[in-house]
Coordinates of all heavy atoms in Angstrom, one line a residue:
F12 N 0.3 46.9 48.3 CA 0.0 48.2 47.8 C 1.2 48.8 47.1 O 1.1 49.5 46.0 CB -0.5 49.2 48.9 CG -1.9 49.0 49.1 CD1 -2.4 48.5 50.3 CD2 -2.9 49.5 48.2 CE1 -3.8 48.4 50.5 CE2 -4.2 49.4 48.5 CZ -4.7 48.8 49.6
V13 N 2.4 48.6 47.6 CA 3.6 49.1 47.0 C 3.8 48.5 45.7 O 4.2 49.1 44.7 CB 4.8 48.8 48.0 CG1 6.1 49.1 47.2 CG2 4.7 49.7 49.2
A14 N 3.6 47.1 45.6 CA 3.8 46.4 44.4 C 2.8 46.9 43.3 O 3.2 47.1 42.1 CB 3.6 44.9 44.6
A15 N 1.6 47.2 43.7 CA 0.5 47.7 42.8 C 0.9 49.0 42.3 O 0.8 49.3 41.1 CB -0.8 47.7 43.5
G16 N 1.5 49.9 43.2 CA 1.9 51.2 42.8 C 3.0 51.2 41.8 O 3.0 51.9 40.8
L17 N 4.0 50.3 42.0 CA 5.1 50.1 41.1 C 4.7 49.6 39.8 O 5.2 50.0 38.7 CB 6.2 49.2 41.8 CG 6.9 49.8 43.0 CD1 7.8 48.7 43.6 CD2 7.8 51.0 42.6
F18 N 3.7 48.7 39.8 CA 3.2 48.1 38.6 C 2.5 49.2 37.7 O 2.8 49.3 36.5 CB 2.2 47.0 38.9 CG 1.5 46.4 37.7 CD1 2.2 45.5 36.9 CD2 0.2 46.7 37.4 CE1 1.6 45.0 35.7 CE2 -0.4 46.2 36.3 CZ 0.3 45.3 35.5
A19 N 1.7 50.0 38.4 CA 1.0 51.1 37.7 C 2.0 52.1 37.1 O 1.9 52.6 36.0 CB 0.0 51.8 38.6
Q20 N 3.0 52.4 38.0 CA 4.0 53.4 37.5 C 4.8 52.9 36.3 O 5.1 53.6 35.4 CB 5.0 53.7 38.7 CG 6.1 54.7 38.4 CD 6.9 55.0 39.6 OE1 6.9 54.3 40.6 NE2 7.8 56.0 39.4
N21 N 5.2 51.6 36.4 CA 5.9 51.0 35.2 C 5.0 51.0 34.0 O 5.5 51.2 32.9 CB 6.3 49.5 35.6 CG 7.1 48.9 34.5 OD1 8.2 49.3 34.1 ND2 6.5 47.8 33.9
N22 N 3.7 50.7 34.1 CA 2.8 50.7 33.0 C 2.8 52.1 32.4 O 2.8 52.2 31.1 CB 1.4 50.3 33.5 CG 1.2 48.8 33.4 OD1 2.0 48.0 33.0 ND2 0.0 48.4 33.9
M23 N 2.7 53.1 33.2 CA 2.6 54.4 32.7 C 3.9 54.8 31.9 O 3.9 55.5 30.9 CB 2.4 55.4 33.8 CG 0.9 55.6 34.1 SD -0.1 56.0 32.7 CE 0.6 57.6 32.2
T24 N 5.0 54.4 32.4 CA 6.3 54.6 31.8 C 6.3 54.0 30.4 O 6.7 54.7 29.4 CB 7.5 54.1 32.6 OG1 7.5 54.7 33.9 CG2 8.8 54.4 31.9
V25 N 5.9 52.8 30.3 CA 5.9 52.1 29.0 C 4.8 52.6 28.1 O 5.0 52.8 26.9 CB 5.7 50.5 29.2 CG1 5.6 49.8 27.9 CG2 6.8 49.9 30.1
A26 N 3.7 53.0 28.7 CA 2.6 53.5 27.9 C 3.0 54.9 27.3 O 2.7 55.1 26.1 CB 1.3 53.8 28.8
T27 N 3.7 55.7 28.0 CA 4.1 57.0 27.5 C 5.2 56.8 26.4 O 5.1 57.5 25.4 CB 4.8 57.8 28.7 OG1 3.8 58.0 29.7 CG2 5.2 59.2 28.1
E28 N 6.1 55.8 26.6 CA 7.0 55.5 25.5 C 6.3 55.1 24.2 O 6.7 55.5 23.1 CB 8.0 54.4 26.0 CG 8.9 54.9 27.1 CD 9.8 53.8 27.7 OE1 9.6 52.6 27.2 OE2 10.7 54.0 28.5
K29 N 5.4 54.2 24.4 CA 4.6 53.7 23.2 C 3.8 54.8 22.5 O 3.8 54.9 21.3 CB 3.7 52.6 23.6 CG 4.4 51.3 23.9 CD 3.5 50.1 24.2 CE 4.2 48.8 24.4 NZ 4.8 48.3 23.2
A30 N 3.3 55.7 23.3 CA 2.5 56.8 22.8 C 3.4 57.8 22.0 O 3.1 58.3 20.9 CB 1.8 57.6 23.9
N31 N 4.6 58.0 22.6 CA 5.6 58.9 21.9 C 6.0 58.3 20.5 O 6.1 59.0 19.5 CB 6.8 59.1 22.8 CG 6.5 60.1 23.9 OD1 5.6 60.9 23.8 ND2 7.2 60.0 25.0
L32 N 6.3 57.0 20.5 CA 6.6 56.3 19.3 C 5.5 56.3 18.3 O 5.7 56.5 17.1 CB 7.0 54.9 19.6 CG 8.4 54.7 20.3 CD1 8.6 53.2 20.7 CD2 9.5 55.1 19.4
A33 N 4.3 56.2 18.8 CA 3.1 56.2 17.9 C 2.9 57.6 17.3 O 2.6 57.7 16.1 CB 1.8 55.8 18.7
K34 N 3.2 58.6 18.1 CA 3.1 60.0 17.6 C 4.1 60.2 16.5 O 3.8 60.9 15.5 CB 3.4 61.0 18.8 CG 3.5 62.5 18.4 CD 2.1 62.9 17.9 CE 2.0 64.5 17.8 NZ 3.1 65.1 17.1
E35 N 5.3 59.6 16.6 CA 6.3 59.8 15.5 C 5.8 59.1 14.2 O 6.0 59.6 13.1 CB 7.6 59.1 16.0 CG 8.3 59.9 17.1 CD 9.6 59.2 17.5 OE1 10.0 58.2 16.9 OE2 10.2 59.6 18.5
S36 N 5.2 57.9 14.4 CA 4.6 57.2 13.2 C 3.5 58.1 12.6 O 3.4 58.2 11.4 CB 4.1 55.9 13.7 OG 5.1 55.0 14.1
L37 N 2.7 58.7 13.5 CA 1.6 59.5 13.0 C 2.1 60.7 12.2 O 1.7 61.0 11.1 CB 0.8 60.0 14.2 CG -0.5 60.7 13.9 CD1 -1.5 59.7 13.3 CD2 -1.1 61.4 15.1
D38 N 3.2 61.3 12.7 CA 3.8 62.5 12.0 C 4.4 62.1 10.7 O 4.5 63.0 9.8 CB 4.8 63.2 12.9 CG 4.2 63.8 14.1 OD1 3.0 64.1 14.1 OD2 4.9 64.1 15.1
S39 N 4.9 60.9 10.6 CA 5.5 60.5 9.4 C 4.6 59.9 8.3 O 4.9 59.5 7.2 CB 6.6 59.4 9.7 OG 6.0 58.2 10.1
G40 N 3.3 59.8 8.7 CA 2.3 59.3 7.8 C 2.1 57.8 7.8 O 1.3 57.3 7.0

C-alpha cells in the first residue's frame, strides 16, 4: 500500500509538471 501510494504521488507530481508545460505551449500558440 505504501508503494502504491508513493507511485500515485509520483505520478501526480509528473502529471502536474507536464500539464504546466503544456499550458505554456498553449499560451504560446
Side-chain angles (χ1 to χ4, degrees):
F12 276 109
V13 169
L17 290 173
F18 176 75
Q20 185 178 7
N21 182 62
N22 272 354
M23 275 305 298
T24 299
V25 177
T27 302
E28 291 174 355
K29 287 184 176 293
N31 286 333
L32 289 172
K34 176 64 165 54
E35 291 178 8
S36 296
L37 190 68
D38 291 341
S39 69

